[in-house]
């Protein structure tokens, strides 16, 4: 809720001394509320009043940093409920659950999966970011689990899931340099939990059985002056959990109640009842709808390929679609004999095509004209990728100086452009390539063979 | 302090559209809220899941599905009966790939006969999908609409190019529901609905296909298009956008590299069939999560998962 003139007046000394240039504190306060005057202009505001004011103008959702160094991630900080209203800013992160009651085989297997499922998609890293380490009550077993995971050397941020403050204290000693999440403050233990993290700024996860309880818990923890928080409602049904996560985000961003203005944790592993594909469906749901940390049972490529790609899409800034710089790019040591392949500057298309060309090992010049950052068909339908724009680019790019080859390969989806380009580029052989980039390695190999045969 | 539930009241509502006849007919739409936000009001009918079958043997499909259907997929009638009995989707989508002018180019008359035989052999509602060639689909849907008159099928879909024929045949002459397909753009979706309305098709007889792509392939445009359509339909009571949405997920997700790559070519990626199901499930769950009222899938595991998912959340 934006502060009214009256709210601000209540915070002034009410001296009516005129030092701010206004006849009364009330007049001054009205101006500040209207955004026409800075609160600093009153030299007599108390510290407490200034703090209260800065609170009221603070972002509706806090940004919480987890992890350290290469494994540091920001969560929260969102300002809109729908990405088209501006953009989403801090992507959700995925966690894999470990528990101190799991056997060594299971732990080793999960760690190996996390290590394996680590790749680049359109220039961004795709990997599980968090190891969620759950304590079942046995201190020794828990400390061993933490050591085991840390010593594995797999790049991870840690979430310590433990409600026993005494165990937690010792556990923290093992990983506090890594700025882990401390998860498990409840209405019963929050004082002890807060005293452990006080002064460290470690992110503290609060959990409750329902929204009302969670709300009250946030109030209590905030009263203890701790605000590096993550929130979760545990034990609820899928439907209740969905409602809770949506309500938390809407309460912060629409109702402007900052008590729920913190990132969320969703234990999708517990909601999916050991059903891998249900886990994928639910993880997709909470990637789209306000989950900040999504906890999975395990990771493999079948899960990662859709989920990481979906996340990448959801968190793309609508104002800045992913594009690559129009240019000519040499692949596989392209030399003065290499043919030319043309595609669009849409980052997704470029990385797919470049990836397939790299796989083929064939030296190729990739010509990327300005196509508005659109996919092949979109650009073509929008008039941004056609005979004239392609031929103009080929002529102006100086590619004819970089290679003696006069073979120009065009995307199969725009085969119709062949004649037009032929007319505009005399001396060039226009070859219609496959519609799908995944057929490029085979296609380029056959091209190499037939070219060599001709030259032989 | 007491926590106060955040409630958003909307002026508008999504139309209810009934598909099929008899006791297996169902309705989609009817909600006055964003998907599953029951704290805001009426969430309407739960999303429906349909299975894709073809009018020809699915040569291009994955091995396990060809195996599953090996005894029935030579006959669309047998195939439809098998799917109804063994797999239990909410509806069946009969896709006339065999009518593709660049392929078998079956005649509209022949397709009409096939459609009639299929719809008479099953109780489940039938959705008719075409070739993607707008000219052929116009002729195809015209004949099929007449052939299946009385069964209240949904025709997926009319486009800007051919809506006059399809809207007239499906929506006016033969009493079916009309799909309205547009390219991931709220203005195009609106425009097509308006054009069909001008033709005389009732808004309540239309379901929109606002497009589809697999997750990772520009899916954000789908998300934002559906979000914006729903916010306009509900928040501004925009009657030209109050149609329910049907999304043919399987038409897109089985062609992307993640699904198609052979295990020899991508050994770390693991089992090919699992990857296909995963892409289909994630895409279907996601488009439902933003507001799609019905999805079409190919794999029985996707069907089971998405049905579980919608039951759990609706
Ligand atoms: C996302 C999307 C959009 C986004 C654009 C996102 C972007 N940055 O491009 C938005 C919403 C902006 C959009 C807009 C439009 N779109 Co659009 N859009 C899509 C959608 C859903 C996905 C496109 C995509 O991401 N493809 C993935 C990329 C990787 O594919 P690609 O670039 O083609 O690359 C592949 C191949 O071409 C090949 N390849 C690429 N380069 C090369 C090079 C060589 C040498 C070779 C051999 C192969 C090769 O390999 C790649 C991987 O396989 C498609 C439908 C679909 N599911 O495909 C429609 C689609 C492409 N859009 C379409 C249309 C009509 C439009 C609009 C013109 C609609 C309109 N009238 O406004 C507008 C145009 C934009 C404008 N402002 O005017 C149509 C095109 C129809 C046609 N046949 O011409 C489609 C097919 C949808 C449809 N069925 O109607 N669109
Ligand atoms: S300077 Fe401060 S105390 Fe004095 S009149 Fe202005 S607002 Fe009031």
């Amino acid at each position: 809720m934006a502060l009214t003139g009256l709210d601000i007046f209540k915070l002034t000394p009410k001296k009516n001394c005129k030092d701010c240039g206004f006849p009364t504190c009330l007049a001054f306060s009205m101006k500040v509320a209207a955004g026409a005057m800075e609160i600093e202009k009153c030299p007599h505001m108390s510290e407490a009043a200034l703090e209260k004011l800065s609170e009221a103008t603070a972002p509706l959702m806090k940004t919480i940093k987890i992890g350290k160094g290469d494994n540091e991630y920001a969560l929260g900080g969102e300002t809109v409920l729908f990405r088209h209203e501006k953009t989403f800013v801090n992507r959700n992160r995925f966690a894999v659950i470990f528990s101190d009651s799991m056997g060594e085989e299971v732990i080793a297997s999960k760690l190996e999966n996390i290590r394996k499922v680590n790749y680049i998609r359109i220039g961004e890293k795709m990997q599980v970011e968090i190891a969620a380490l759950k304590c079942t009550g046995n201190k020794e077993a828990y400390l061993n689990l933490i050591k085991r995971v840390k010593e594995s050397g797999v790049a991870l941020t840690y979430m310590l899931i433990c409600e026993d403050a005494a165990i937690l204290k010792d556990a923290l000693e093992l990983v506090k340099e890594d700025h882990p999440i401390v998860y498990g403050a409840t209405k019963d233990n929050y004082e002890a939990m807060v005293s452990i993290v006080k002064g460290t700024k470690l992110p503290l996860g609060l959990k409750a059985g329902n929204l009302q309880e969670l709300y009250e818990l946030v109030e209590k923890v905030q009263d203890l002056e701790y605000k590096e928080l993550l929130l979760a409602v545990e034990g609820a049904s899928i439907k209740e959990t969905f409602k809770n996560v949506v309500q938390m985000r809407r309460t912060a961003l629409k109702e402007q109640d900052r008590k729920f203005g913190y990132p969320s944790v969703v234990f999708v592993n517990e909601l999916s009842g050991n059903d891998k594909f249900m886990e994928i469906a639910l993880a997709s749901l909470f990637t789209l709808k306000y989950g900040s940390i999504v906890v999975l049972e395990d990771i493999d490529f079948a899960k990662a390929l859709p989920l990481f790609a979906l996340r990448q899409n959801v968190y793309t800034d609508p104002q800045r679609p992913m594009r690559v710089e129009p240019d000519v790019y040499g692949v596989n040591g392209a030399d003065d004999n290499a043919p030319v392949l043309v595609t669009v500057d849409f980052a997704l298309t470029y990385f797919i095509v470049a990836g397939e060309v790299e796989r083929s090992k064939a030296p190729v010049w990739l010509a990327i004209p300005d196509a508005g950052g659109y996919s092949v068909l979109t650009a073509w339908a929008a008039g941004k990728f056609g005979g004239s724009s392609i031929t103009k680019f080929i002529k102006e790019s100086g590619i004819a100086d970089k290679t003696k080859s006069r073979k120009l390969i065009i995307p199969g989806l725009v085969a119709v452009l062949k004649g037009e380009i032929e007319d505009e580029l005399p001396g060039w052989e226009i070859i219609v390539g496959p519609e799908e980039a995944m057929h490029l390695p085979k296609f380029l190999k056959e091209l190499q063979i037939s070219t060599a045969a001709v030259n032989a | 302090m007491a926590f106060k539930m955040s409630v958003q009241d909307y002026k508008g509502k999504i139309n209810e559209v009934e598909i099929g006849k008899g006791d297996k007919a169902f309705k989609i739409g009817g909600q006055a809220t964003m998907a599953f936000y029951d704290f805001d009001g009426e969430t309407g009918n739960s999303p429906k899941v349909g299975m894709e079958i073809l009018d020809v043997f699915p040569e291009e499909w994955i091995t396990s599905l060809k195996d599953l259907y090996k005894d029935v997929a030579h006959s669309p009638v047998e195939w439809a009966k098998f799917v109804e009995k063994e797999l239990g989707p909410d509806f069946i989508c009969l896709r006339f790939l065999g009518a593709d002018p660049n392929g078998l180019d079956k005649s509209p008359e022949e397709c009409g006969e096939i459609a009639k035989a299929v719809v008479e052999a099953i109780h489940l509602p039938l959705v008719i999908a075409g070739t993607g060639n707008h000219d052929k689909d116009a002729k195809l849907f015209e004949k099929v609409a007449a052939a299946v008159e009385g069964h209240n099928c949904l025709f997926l879909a009319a486009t800007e190019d051919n809506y006059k024929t399809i809207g007239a045949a499906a929506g006016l002459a033969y009493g079916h529901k009309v799909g309205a397909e547009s390219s991931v753009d709220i203005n195009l979706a609106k425009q097509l609905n308006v054009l069909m309305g001008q033709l005389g098709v009732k808004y309540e007889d239309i379901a929109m296909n606002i497009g589809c792509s697999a997750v990772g392939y520009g899916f954000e445009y789908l998300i934002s298009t559906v979000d914006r359509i729903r916010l306009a339909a509900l928040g501004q009571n925009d009657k030209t956008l109050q149609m329910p949405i049907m999304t043919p997920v399987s038409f897109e997700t089985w062609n992307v590299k993640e699904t198609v790559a052979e295990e020899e070519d991508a050994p770390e990626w693991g089992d090919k069939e699992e990857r296909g199901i995963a892409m289909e499930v994630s895409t279907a769950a996601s488009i439902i999560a933003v507001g799609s009222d019905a999805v079409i899938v190919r794999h029985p595991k996707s069907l089971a998962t998405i049905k579980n998912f919608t039951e759990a959340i609706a």
Side-chain angles (χ1 to χ4, degrees):
Chain A
M1 229 158 341
L3 285 189
T4 65
L6 221 46
D7 294 326
I8 298 175
F9 173 67
K10 291 190 192 134
L11 300 170
T12 64
K14 303 184 197 67
K15 283 164 34 180
N16 293 337
C17 70
K18 303 196 178 100
D19 285 348
C20 56
F22 285 85
T24 59
C25 298
L26 184 57
F28 172 73
S29 304
M30 300 302 278
K31 280 289 175 191
V32 172
M37 182 58 47
E38 300 115 37
I39 194 71
E40 287 77 31
K41 278 291 190 320
C42 164
H44 310 293
M45 295 288 282
S46 70
E47 270 303 310
L50 283 171
E51 223 196 88
K52 238 194 157 161
L53 263 159
S54 80
E55 231 183 73
T57 49
L60 293 170
M61 188 179 182
K62 202 146 194 285
T63 302
I64 304 287
K65 294 239 164 78
I66 64 172
K68 226 186 185 100
D70 286 338
N71 303 314
E72 183 182 275
Y73 304 104
L75 296 171
E78 302 298 340
T79 61
V80 292
L81 289 170
F82 298 97
R83 61 179 289 281
H84 67 268
E85 292 174 321
K86 187 159 193 264
T87 180
F88 289 156
V89 293
N90 286 317
R91 63 192 56 196
N92 58 300
R93 299 294 172 181
F94 290 102
V96 166
I97 191 84
F98 293 82
S99 136
D100 57 16
S101 63
M102 284 177 188
E104 165 58 25
E105 260 167 47
V106 173
I107 294 175
S109 161
K110 290 191 191 210
L111 286 168
E112 186 49 31
N113 285 338
I114 296 173
R115 194 198 307 267
K116 262 191 342 202
V117 182
N118 190 322
Y119 57 98
I120 310 263
R121 186 179 201 269
I122 317 185
E124 291 180 347
K125 276 210 301 189
M126 305 277 132
Q127 61 189 74
V128 162
E129 293 94 355
I130 301 169
L133 306 169
K134 189 169 175 158
C135 175
T136 55
N138 180 328
K139 173 152 107 167
E140 199 189 320
Y142 193 51
L143 297 183
N144 283 336
L145 172 68
I146 298 172
K147 285 188 209 139
R148 172 75 181 86
V149 171
K150 188 163 160 137
E151 279 158 22
S152 71
V154 180
L156 286 164
T157 291
Y158 307 112
M159 180 157 86
L160 301 179
I161 304 175
C162 178
E163 288 173 43
D164 183 323
I167 299 181
L168 195 52
K169 237 178 159 169
D170 291 344
L172 214 41
E173 286 307 308
L174 299 172
V175 286
K176 68 168 183 266
E177 268 87 60
D178 302 303
H179 203 75
I181 301 160
V182 173
Y183 179 89
T186 67
K187 65 186 188 321
D188 299 318
N189 70 3
Y190 72 95
E191 283 149 324
M193 299 293 263
V194 171
S195 58
I196 294 178
V197 294
K198 238 337 165 130
T200 63
K201 271 204 128 186
L202 286 178
L204 180 65
L206 308 186
K207 64 177 259 199
N210 59 58
L211 286 175
Q212 175 63 41
E213 220 184 271
L214 185 64
Y215 193 73
E216 286 167 11
L217 183 55
V218 175
E219 282 178 322
K220 292 190 188 122
V221 172
Q222 282 188 172
D223 284 343
L224 293 179
E225 301 292 312
Y226 206 73
K227 295 198 178 144
E228 297 298 313
L229 307 176
L230 293 146
L231 308 178
V233 175
E234 277 196 44
S237 65
I238 290 170
K239 194 172 156 70
E240 273 295 302
T241 303
F242 178 69
K243 179 181 89 178
N244 294 336
V245 174
V246 174
Q247 279 291 323
M248 292 196 305
R249 187 65 60 93
R250 239 186 29 194
T251 298
L253 299 188
K254 175 179 176 284
E255 313 303 341
Q256 310 212 349
D257 184 342
R258 287 176 184 77
K259 289 202 203 81
F260 272 165
Y262 296 102
S264 63
V265 183
V266 188
F267 290 91
V268 167
N269 61 321
E270 280 165 27
L271 295 174
S272 19
N274 262 324
D275 180 339
K276 170 176 174 157
F277 295 112
M278 188 59 159
E279 193 183 49
I280 292 172
L282 293 173
S284 304
L285 174 70
F286 289 109
T287 295
L288 289 162
K289 292 280 182 181
Y290 316 140
S292 309
I293 295 183
V294 174
V295 184
L296 305 172
E297 188 60 43
D298 204 337
I299 192 68
D300 60 17
F301 275 95
K303 283 188 208 178
L305 291 169
L307 292 177
F308 292 164
L310 173 66
R311 175 179 63 176
Q312 191 173 47
N313 281 174
V314 172
Y315 285 88
T316 298
D317 183 339
Q319 298 297 319
R320 300 180 347 171
M322 301 165 85
R323 288 177 79 154
V324 296
E325 201 51 39
D327 203 343
V328 174
Y329 297 89
V331 187
N332 297 328
D335 57 13
D336 56 0
N337 283 318
V340 183
L341 194 147
V342 68
T343 186
V344 293
D345 58 340
F346 179 32
L348 173 64
T349 308
Y350 171 82
F351 278 98
I352 292 176
V353 172
E356 294 298 337
V357 171
E358 269 159 34
R359 236 167 34 94
S360 76
K361 309 258 194 287
V364 162
W365 293 102
L366 271 184
I368 315 289
D370 179 346
Y374 290 133
S375 76
V376 167
L377 277 180
T378 302
W380 175 68
K384 294 221 163 28
F385 186 65
S388 50
S389 68
I390 293 172
T391 54
K392 184 165 188 277
F393 181 80
I394 297 293
K395 286 180 190 157
E396 289 174 6
S397 67
I399 185 63
D401 300 326
K402 288 200 163 82
T403 178
K404 287 180 284 193
S405 168
R406 289 294 176 266
K407 288 190 184 330
L408 179 62
I409 306 161
I410 65 172
L413 285 176
V414 287
V416 293
L417 295 177
K418 178 175 173 188
E420 209 184 315
I421 301 175
E422 269 168 350
D423 292 340
E424 300 280 331
L425 287 179
W428 283 82
E429 183 192 349
I430 311 304
I431 303 173
V432 175
E435 289 190 359
E436 305 281 341
M438 72 181 94
H439 300 129
L440 265 172
K442 182 156 180 261
F443 177 84
L444 287 171
K445 194 180 196 125
E446 286 166 3
L447 185 65
Q448 273 182 318
I449 294 173
S450 67
T451 307
V454 166
N455 291 343
Chain B
M1 204 154 88
F3 167 68
K4 195 157 167 261
M5 195 76 78
S6 163
V7 178
Q8 174 78 60
D9 200 23
Y10 285 123
K11 298 180 260 189
K13 200 172 171 201
I14 305 305
N15 303 333
E16 259 193 336
V17 174
E18 188 176 62
I19 304 174
K21 275 265 151 51
D23 57 353
K24 295 287 185 189
F26 61 76
K27 296 198 178 117
I28 49 173
Q31 65 272 48
T33 67
M34 298 301 270
F36 314 119
Y37 285 17
D38 63 358
F39 39 82
D40 285 341
E42 276 299 310
T43 51
N45 298 290
S46 67
K48 302 293 179 283
V49 193
M51 287 285 276
E52 175 190 6
I53 67 171
L54 307 180
D55 65 327
V56 292
F57 190 85
E59 293 296 350
E60 311 267 311
W61 288 16
I62 58 171
T63 313
S64 57
L65 289 182
K66 284 195 286 200
D67 279 342
L68 175 67
Y69 294 136
K70 66 179 183 317
D71 295 327
V72 295
H74 292 282
S75 153
V77 169
E78 293 308 312
W79 197 353
K81 280 161 64 178
F82 179 89
V83 167
E84 177 175 51
K85 178 155 183 276
E86 304 298 327
L87 303 174
D90 295 315
F91 63 94
I92 289 178
C93 173
L94 173 58
R95 192 176 179 198
F96 279 99
L97 287 187
D100 188 344
N102 292 330
L104 293 174
D105 199 12
K106 282 193 202 160
S107 71
E109 290 73 18
E110 190 187 339
C111 296
E113 279 160 26
I114 295 171
K116 183 171 154 72
V118 168
V119 83
E120 285 172 358
I122 58 174
H123 300 282
L124 289 177
L126 188 64
V127 169
I128 307 283
T131 64
N133 177 307
H134 300 168
D135 285 331
K136 182 61 184 277
D137 286 347
K139 302 190 180 90
L140 171 67
F141 286 172
E142 228 183 348
K143 280 287 181 284
V144 172
V148 298
E149 184 176 14
H151 291 274
N152 191 26
C153 299
L154 174 70
F155 283 79
L156 208 64
T159 67
E160 202 185 335
D161 294 334
N162 59 19
Y163 76 92
K164 288 196 181 126
T165 316
I166 299 177
L172 300 175
Y174 299 109
H176 298 291
K177 300 300 189 299
V178 191
E181 182 185 322
S182 52
S183 313
V184 208
D185 182 301
I186 182 175
N187 295 313
L188 295 177
K190 194 179 158 91
Q191 191 175 282
L192 184 53
N193 293 333
V194 168
L195 287 171
M196 289 225 272
Q198 285 168 358
L199 190 63
V201 180
K202 295 215 250 0
Y203 280 173
E204 297 76 31
D205 291 339
I206 299 173
M208 298 186 282
N209 172 5
I210 53 88
C212 191
S213 66
V215 289
Y217 290 82
F219 193 78
E220 68 269 33
Y221 291 97
L222 291 172
I223 296 169
S224 294
T225 297
V226 178
D227 281 344
R228 292 175 65 200
I229 287 176
R230 283 293 150 89
L231 289 171
L234 300 171
Q236 286 144 51
N237 202 8
D238 185 338
K239 306 241 169 256
T240 64
L241 288 171
Q242 283 172 354
M243 297 71 183
I245 295 171
M246 179 177 290
T247 308
V249 169
S250 60
F251 293 9
E252 295 296 326
T253 63
W254 292 93
N255 304 323
V256 295
K257 181 163 181 179
E258 290 84 340
T259 303
V260 166
E262 296 296 342
E263 284 167 50
E264 308 89 70
D265 294 328
E268 340 76 74
W269 278 10
D271 187 85
K272 184 177 167 184
E273 184 177 17
E274 274 207 354
R275 285 186 262 119
I277 300 169
M279 286 299 284
E280 189 167 54
V281 163
S282 180
T283 304
S286 298
I287 202 69
I288 286 172
V290 294
S292 185
D293 300 282
V295 293
I296 299 167
V297 300
R298 185 177 293 181
H299 200 288
K301 194 85 184 92
S302 309
L303 169 67
T305 306
I306 298 300
K307 283 218 73 64
N308 261 350
F309 172 75
T310 54
E311 265 157 37
I313 198 167

